[in-house]
């Protein structure tokens, strides 16, 4: 009897081991097939973004009026590109005339320098801002009795941000982590990753010499001096990817950070702490995929909003994969052989 039980247990463990090997083989086979597919995603994001303007040792908040914008993600093999803007044809924004119009453009890409080292590069620009603290600013100039309504608009203002992050995966590798980047990669299994990243950002606020207030246009004379700032942050944290039945999945990431920020050409800098987090739920059957998520970037700043910071973002998207042309596969095979 004992011999039969031992034989049954041995057979059971053998079947489990074989099933795991088949599962790993399936994952490897899918990765090989994915090298011959192009992934495309179209999405819609709502962004709550605030910028800062230092005036007489006080921080005033500027906001873009245009909160919604469309996003596109395109990936083929290791080339992962994203760009976004707010096209006029979609008419997804109901701009407040008192706040003016805002325009977005973002472009970025992600790639792995090695199985453990990921590089992220991103450029964003928003044009057209309004003064959220207009009444407070006017009262500082004309006294507390000032009660006029309306917002100071900066129709030509541009806020350009250059961002990058280099992350090292202490636990996990690029096969495990790449689906955390965006929806272009299909989550293949349950994953737990731990990483440390160095985040760096350089911002320029310019063209604030033209203002509109209560329908009147004002132009400052003289040479404009753009406001510039930089931020460096060290992030360490973890992420979890959980597969659910019928091709559903959920991803959660949290990265506490310690950062240094500096307002260039001004006597202001600080060390502080913050938190970057990301969560997404989606569906992916290998060809069609969709999902939604949210992103939070919390900064414990003693002088809040003196540089660009995204407080929160909500994103939804839908995408599909299709076979790439033969000549594209052939040329990328040559590039891959060179990079090896």
């Amino acid at each position: 009897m004992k011999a039969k039980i031992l034989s049954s247990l041995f057979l059971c463990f053998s079947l489990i081991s074989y099933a795991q090997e088949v599962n790993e083989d399936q994952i490897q086979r899918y990765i090989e097939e994915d090298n011959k597919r192009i992934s495309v995603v179209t999405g819609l994001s709502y962004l709550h973004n605030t910028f800062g303007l230092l005036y007489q040792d006080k921080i005033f908040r500027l906001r873009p009026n245009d909160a919604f914008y469309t996003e596109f993600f395109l990936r083929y093999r290791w080339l992962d590109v994203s760009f976004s803007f707010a096209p006029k044809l979609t008419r997804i924004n109901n701009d407040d005339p008192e706040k003016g119009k805002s325009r977005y453009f973002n472009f970025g890409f992600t790639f792995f320098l090695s199985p453990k080292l990921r590089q992220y590069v991103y450029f964003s620009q928003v044009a057209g801002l309004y003064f959220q603290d207009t009444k407070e600013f006017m009262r500082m100039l004309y006294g507390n009795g000032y009660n006029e309504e309306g917002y100071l608009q900066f129709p030509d203002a541009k806020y350009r941000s250059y961002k990058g992050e280099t992350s090292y995966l202490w636990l996990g590798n690029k096969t495990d982590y790449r689906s955390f980047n965006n929806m272009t990669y299909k989550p293949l299994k349950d994953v737990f990753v731990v990483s440390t990243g160095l985040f760096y950002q350089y911002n320029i606020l310019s063209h604030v010499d033209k203002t509109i207030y209560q329908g009147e246009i004002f132009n400052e004379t003289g040479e404009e001096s753009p406001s510039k700032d930089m931020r460096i942050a060290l992030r360490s944290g973890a992420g979890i990817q959980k597969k659910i039945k019928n091709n559903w999945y959920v991803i959660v990431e949290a990265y506490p950070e310690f950062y240094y920020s500096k307002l260039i050409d001004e006597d202001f800098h600080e060390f502080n702490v913050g938190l970057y987090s990301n969560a997404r739920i989606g569906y992916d059957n290998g060809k069609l995929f969709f999902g939604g998520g949210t992103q939070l970037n919390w900064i414990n700043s003693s002088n809040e909003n003196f540089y660009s910071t995204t407080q929160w973002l909500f994103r939804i998207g839908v995408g599909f994969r299709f076979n790439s042309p033969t000549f594209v596969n052939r040329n990328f095979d040559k590039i891959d052989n060179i990079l090896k």
Side-chain angles (χ1 to χ4, degrees):
M1 184 67 180
K2 291 183 178 179
K4 289 183 178 180
I5 294 175
L6 291 173
S7 300
S8 300
L9 290 174
F10 179 77
L11 178 61
C12 180
F13 285 128
S14 298
L15 290 174
I16 293 174
S17 177
Y18 176 73
Q20 290 176 341
E21 289 178 0
V22 170
N23 188 47
E24 291 298 325
D25 289 342
Q26 290 174 344
I27 291 174
Q28 188 60 39
R29 187 160 55 249
Y30 178 84
I31 293 174
E32 292 175 358
E33 293 174 353
D34 185 65
N35 283 337
K36 299 179 181 179
R37 292 176 180 172
I38 297 175
S39 300
V40 179
V41 181
T42 301
L44 178 67
S45 292
Y46 180 84
L47 178 67
H48 179 87
N49 216 341
T50 305
F51 309 99
L53 185 63
L54 182 66
Y55 182 76
Q56 294 187 0
D57 298 325
K58 186 175 179 58
I59 303 298
F60 292 94
R61 293 168 296 173
L62 294 99
R63 288 283 312 280
N65 189 16
D66 202 354
F68 285 98
Y69 63 93
T70 55
E71 288 187 303
F72 299 92
F73 296 90
L74 175 66
R75 182 185 62 82
Y76 175 67
R77 298 196 186 186
W78 40 265
L79 184 62
D80 202 340
V81 180
S82 66
F83 61 96
S84 55
F85 57 96
K88 295 180 180 179
L89 295 177
T90 58
R91 298 185 180 276
I92 55 178
N93 290 287
N94 184 20
D95 291 312
D96 187 341
E98 290 188 351
K99 299 177 181 178
K101 291 185 176 290
S102 300
R103 301 169 300 281
Y104 281 95
F105 176 76
N106 304 308
F107 178 80
F109 56 94
T110 305
F111 57 93
F112 280 85
L113 299 170
S114 71
K116 291 281 189 178
L117 198 63
R118 185 191 69 148
Q119 181 63 49
Y120 170 76
V121 180
Y122 195 76
F123 168 78
S124 63
Q125 175 179 284
V126 58
L129 305 173
Y130 72 93
F131 223 167
Q132 183 171 322
D133 303 312
T134 295
K135 183 176 289 189
E136 183 180 352
F137 177 73
M138 291 299 185
R139 285 178 175 176
M140 186 180 68
L141 296 179
Y142 302 110
N144 293 330
Y146 191 91
N147 288 312
E148 294 288 333
E149 298 297 329
Y151 294 96
L152 273 170
Q153 299 177 20
F154 298 86
D156 299 333
K158 291 184 179 180
Y159 202 99
R160 289 165 289 168
S161 184
Y162 303 86
K163 305 175 185 178
E165 183 177 8
T166 305
S167 301
Y168 182 80
L169 296 170
W170 298 101
L171 181 63
N173 54 45
K174 69 177 182 180
T175 302
D176 298 332
Y177 189 75
R178 58 185 187 170
S179 56
F180 285 72
N181 296 331
N182 55 57
M183 289 191 297
T184 61
Y185 291 96
K186 179 182 177 180
L188 301 176
K189 60 181 180 179
D190 294 349
V191 170
F192 178 72
V193 297
V194 177
S195 68
T196 297
L198 181 65
F199 174 84
Y200 28 93
Q201 180 176 353
Y202 176 69
N203 307 305
I204 304 173
L205 174 63
S206 61
H207 299 89
V208 293
D209 51 341
K210 179 181 178 181
T211 57
I212 300 176
Y213 184 59
Q214 295 181 339
E216 295 189 40
I217 300 176
F218 304 91
N219 287 286
E220 292 186 8
T221 58
E223 186 177 350
E224 179 197 13
S225 179
S227 175
K228 303 176 183 179
D229 61 81
M230 59 170 286
R231 173 187 168 199
I232 301 174
L234 185 64
R235 295 172 174 171
S236 291
I240 300 174
Q241 174 180 285
K242 180 67 177 178
K243 292 273 291 179
I244 311 174
K245 290 183 179 180
N246 300 322
N247 297 315
W248 288 88
Y249 68 91
V250 62
I251 290 175
V252 179
E253 295 179 276
Y255 299 94
E257 63 182 27
F258 178 76
Y259 72 87
Y260 169 79
S261 49
K262 166 67 178 173
L263 194 60
I264 300 174
D265 298 329
E266 299 285 348
D267 186 20
F268 179 82
H269 65 94
E270 72 172 2
F271 291 92
N272 222 311
V273 296
L275 173 69
Y276 171 81
S277 61
N278 182 50
R280 184 173 87 240
I281 184 170
Y283 171 88
D284 194 326
N285 65 8
K287 293 183 179 180
L288 175 68
F289 50 97
F290 57 87
T294 183
Q295 178 179 302
L296 172 68
N297 193 4
W298 171 74
I299 301 295
N300 183 31
S301 175
S302 58
N303 286 270
E304 187 178 2
N305 298 327
F306 86 97
Y307 52 84
S308 172
T309 176
T310 299
Q311 282 76 42
W312 60 273
L313 177 147
F314 177 74
R315 172 187 291 133
I316 57 174
V318 60
F320 60 94
R321 299 182 181 91
F322 56 90
N323 293 331
S324 53
T326 303
F327 75 91
V328 175
N329 294 332
R330 186 167 54 247
N331 288 323
F332 264 79
D333 285 340
K334 294 178 182 178
I335 296 174
D336 288 339
N337 290 330
I338 295 173
L339 295 177
K340 286 181 179 179

